[in-house]
């Protein structure tokens, strides 16, 4: 069971802080304990049963975050060139639903490479690519910012700098 003040990854919401554990007034079931979660990078409040089937895990440690960043160059992208938006959305949604940081990195790298090729050909990033890349970045960068105790907007430059150092 998580404690008040813990940071957790919750579903596709991303990083949330456990604000409370108890019986919310709006819920008539007094037998079930609920977590009151506050997403760190959004404004809503989430109530979820302590024994929820929704995905929930602790935020990675600082050491795990550093190791993940060190592995980024070796995580292969898996670019999907399909023009079928339904198939593309399904592929990206499947990647997000694994809740694995390696898959988030793979998605971000894949869309980045795809966008780079599109720009070289004089085209813009597709809306579906942009939407899923932003969701993956929000989840990954949000977790890394908590794990590394850094501001959210410092994460991408930090990753880029570390990757350049590793490749040098």
């Amino acid at each position: 069971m998580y404690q008040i003040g813990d940071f957790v990854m919750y579903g596709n919401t991303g990083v949330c802080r456990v604000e409370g554990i108890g019986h919310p007034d709006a819920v008539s079931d007094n037998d079930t304990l609920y977590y009151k979660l506050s997403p760190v990078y959004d404004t809503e409040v989430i109530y979820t049963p302590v024994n929820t089937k929704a995905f929930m895990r602790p935020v990675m440690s600082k050491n795990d975050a550093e190791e993940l960043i060190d592995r980024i160059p070796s995580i292969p992208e898996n670019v999907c060139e399909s023009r079928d938006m339904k198939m593309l959305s399904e592929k990206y949604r499947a990647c997000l639903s694994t809740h694995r940081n390696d898959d988030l990195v793979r998605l971000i790298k894949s869309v980045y490479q795809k966008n780079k090729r599109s720009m070289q050909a004089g085209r813009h990033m597709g809306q579906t690519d942009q939407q899923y890349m932003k969701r993956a970045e929000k989840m990954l960068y949000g977790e890394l910012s908590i794990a590394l105790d850094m501001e959210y907007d410092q994460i991408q430059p930090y990753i880029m700098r570390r990757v350049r150092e590793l490749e040098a």
Side-chain angles (χ1 to χ4, degrees):
M1 191 160 138
Y2 299 107
Q3 302 302 312
I4 294 173
D6 287 351
F7 287 101
V8 296
M9 292 299 291
Y10 178 73
N12 285 333
T13 301
V15 181
C16 295
R17 181 183 165 101
V18 178
E19 297 292 341
I21 303 169
H23 306 282
D25 295 333
V27 178
S28 60
D29 179 10
N30 284 333
D31 294 336
T32 304
L33 283 176
Y34 284 76
Y35 290 121
K36 177 182 177 184
L37 303 175
S38 294
V40 174
Y41 300 105
D42 284 318
T43 57
E44 79 260 19
V45 174
I46 299 168
Y47 289 94
T48 188
V50 168
N51 62 348
T52 185
K53 296 203 185 311
F55 175 80
M56 191 183 302
R57 68 164 168 77
V59 167
M60 72 177 101
S61 68
K62 182 176 183 171
N63 190 49
D64 290 341
E66 296 289 357
E67 287 177 4
L68 174 65
I69 292 170
D70 289 347
R71 283 196 334 269
I72 286 176
S74 66
I75 297 173
E77 60 265 358
N78 187 10
V79 178
C80 181
E81 295 294 344
S82 174
R83 296 201 183 271
D84 180 346
M85 291 305 125
K86 185 175 180 179
M87 188 170 104
L88 189 61
S89 290
E90 275 302 312
K91 179 179 170 118
Y92 291 158
R93 196 174 301 118
C95 193
L96 291 175
S97 69
T98 67
H99 304 289
R100 294 184 58 237
N101 289 319
D102 284 29
D103 288 337
L104 295 176
V105 169
R106 186 171 291 110
L107 191 155
I108 293 166
K109 285 179 71 173
S110 298
V111 174
Y112 177 81
Q113 290 300 325
K114 184 177 176 182
N115 183 48
K116 190 174 172 182
R117 284 193 299 278
S118 292
M119 288 179 65
Q120 289 169 346
R123 296 186 311 265
H124 296 286
M125 180 188 291
Q127 187 175 2
T128 302
D129 294 319
Q130 188 174 15
Q131 173 188 2
Y132 281 96
M133 183 171 168
K134 283 185 180 187
R135 286 175 63 188
E137 286 176 337
K138 179 182 172 189
M139 292 174 69
L140 181 67
Y141 297 171
E143 184 170 10
L144 289 172
S145 73
I146 297 300
L148 298 171
D149 194 25
M150 295 173 71
E151 294 295 321
Y152 181 92
D153 60 355
Q154 295 175 329
I155 294 298
Q156 187 179 33
Y158 177 74
I159 291 171
M160 300 298 271
R161 186 174 57 252
R162 288 277 306 276
V163 168
R164 277 193 306 272
E165 290 169 1
L166 289 168
E167 291 175 339

